[in-house]
Amino acid sequence: MKSMPRTRAHAHPFKPRAGLRLVFGSAVAGITVAAWAQTPPADSADPPPNTELPSIIVVGTTPLVGVGTPLEKVPANVQTIKGADIEAQHTPTITNYLEKNVVSVDTNDAQGNPWQTDINYRGFTASPLLGTPQGLSVFMDGVRINEPFGDVVNWDLIPQAAIQTMQIIPGSNPTFGLNTLGGAVVVQTRNGRSNPGGNVDLSFGSWGRKSAQIEQGGVIGDHLDYYFTANILNDNGWADHNSSKLRQAFGKIRYTDADTTLSVSMGGADNTLNGSQTIPRSFMDNFRQAYTFPDTNENQVGYITINAEHYITPNVQLSGNVYYRHYRNKNVSSNVNDHFDPDGDDADELAQAFNDQSVIVTDSYGASLQLTLLNKLFGKDNQLVIGASGDFANSHFTQASQPAEFEENRATVGTGPFAPTTDAKTRNQNLGVYFENTFSFNEQWSMTLAGRYNWAKAVIGDESGAQPQLDGNHTFSRFNPAIGFNWNPTPSFTAYATYNEGMRSPTAIELACADPAAPCSLPNDFIADPDLKPVISKTFEIGARGRIGSHTTWSAAAYSTTLTDDIQFVSAQGAGSNLGYFQNVGKTRRQGFELAGRTQWGPVGVAASYSYVNATYRSTWIESSASNSSADDNGNITVHSGDRIPGIPANTVKVRLDYNPISSWNIGTNVTYRSNIFARGDENNQDVNGSVAGYFIIDLDTTYNVTKQLQVYATVKNLLNKRYANFAILGQNFFDGPNHTFNNGATVNEQFLGVGSPRGVWVGMRYAWK
């Protein structure tokens, strides 16, 4: 299992069922009124033929989209991304697209692998790395895909080609349940009715990267449609020892009629991801080298999801899903022995390093049910959503450790057998009941009330018999409310204000590693520890959005999210090892504002955004950070209220330009600026190394349609070949000299950097058919 980086519109009560179903089916993608005007409400007249009215953007404000809510009645700065937008830029990973295009999003390359990056949104993280405080919930087709063991998000397991839409919903929206502290990412997959035909896509380029993808969708008869996609990718990696192999497949079959939609989707992935991790500043003479290796993650997943919606009456919709998901991760990682002593008598002291091997297998399953009522309340339009969900997971975690020695290239070679260290099983049970009600006072004003009661239970059991004190039973519960107001004085302007609360319960890995007197080595060495408190988030947000003319849109928002009893992984010995423990650190706050706009001038399209995040600790607490130059004799630092949270840049600027010199040719560029960050371990912002400098990156892409069927394209990442780092952690460097060889246990405190990739160039072609 992966670990912390080591050294390395109005809610109209539409009458006809077909009209409701069309609105639901186009949720988050946006539809034109003309699309459903062929079957208008019984009390309305047909519009003139061929009349196209302004589009209605429908937002899914609950995990089960249901009928959805028109954007003008959503009190949040929701961002919607179409799968076609991701395809148009030919980005290799979902995280890369989000980093370059979505407001208030940036990334951390803590593992040195492009498919294992952290996504930070408004200062909250969705990461594949155990030990990273998670603050975003991620859903695909109504199923929460934060892995139950650690709440991690494996971006490499999401089938990128199958994305129909992706929404970024900010704030502590309680209807999305646990872990929605700073926002939710909601993915809806494609279907054959809206994606007919097929294509094959081939690309190759820098670092030996080669990929192939196939996609096919269609309709069978009047009621059935199907969709399928599969891809393979091999990448030697831009750095030493960070190659990747991805194998993904996804399929869906749907039945639809005037009242009912039933879909069955299945998918799987088998990926092998190697990481070069962070390296010391003194290693930057060759920024491609790894500190130690190997570090390999084998990610495998298989899942099935059944979704259904049915209109009981024209104004009452019942929707639900059931799912099963099998996840397996095997991790092999190399770690310096912090207690190495060449003159020692103990066998553990004589080992220069240890190879850790961990395996986690999780079977998760669950179901959701949601009722949507479109009716009148006090003679006014009203939409009420009531839902319930249950999510359950059983995880089996095993860990073994092997003594090892370093070769000259810092590869670790085992000198003995793997000895089991941990054998634990965990069970997670999460139950939730929620509601959301949108009431329209009139055509201009509406109010949204929402709430959810969460009940979470984590059971931990020792299977080896050697750690009976590990056994534990932890239960958390809370009701989280939300209220918001929207004002729409004109069809082209919306203002809103909202307040909402959320909760994240401690995960099994956090509960089993929370004692500073007995730090754990992630992801191994579970121990019996004191309970942690759940994290509570409280968010205020105000904002506005609108349209100027027919080609320009804009948005602005200001927000403040305060966390109480925030949980953080405290490194016991810095980046030199993954030894540490989790603790509640009091209050933290992320507040700021964001501005965005998009316009079209003839053949030129421009999208730009600026975001400011002031992420700070709001409590004073003591942290063990011996690698921090300001640490006391005991290796402790004092973090004060107002100190900046590491890894979160205060300023980001993004510009996207598209130019179409002719209708068949597009030239695009992404310009990204990110300001400086502090290193983990420097939570008091006092380390002598200071912060990590910001950077400025330019990417290019171009697409040419040779025929209606054949398309060729090219992309360039990091055009100016900038040397930069977007992540840092303080730690101990055990290697010295011009060849960076093992220094017999002597160490130097340094700042370890997560280095960004150099310039890369790729070309490809896509052939499509109907």
Side-chain angles (χ1 to χ4, degrees), residues 51-75:
T51 297
E52 185 172 295
L53 300 177
S55 62
I56 298 175
I57 305 299
V58 182
V59 175
T61 53
T62 62
L64 292 174
V65 175
V67 176
T69 304
L71 180 61
E72 67 265 24
K73 295 194 176 185
V74 177

Side-chain angles (χ1 to χ4, degrees), residues 244-255:
S244 304
K245 292 183 179 180
L246 281 79
R247 308 289 187 266
Q248 296 175 325
F250 176 84
K252 179 190 290 185
I253 187 166
R254 290 196 319 159
Y255 169 86

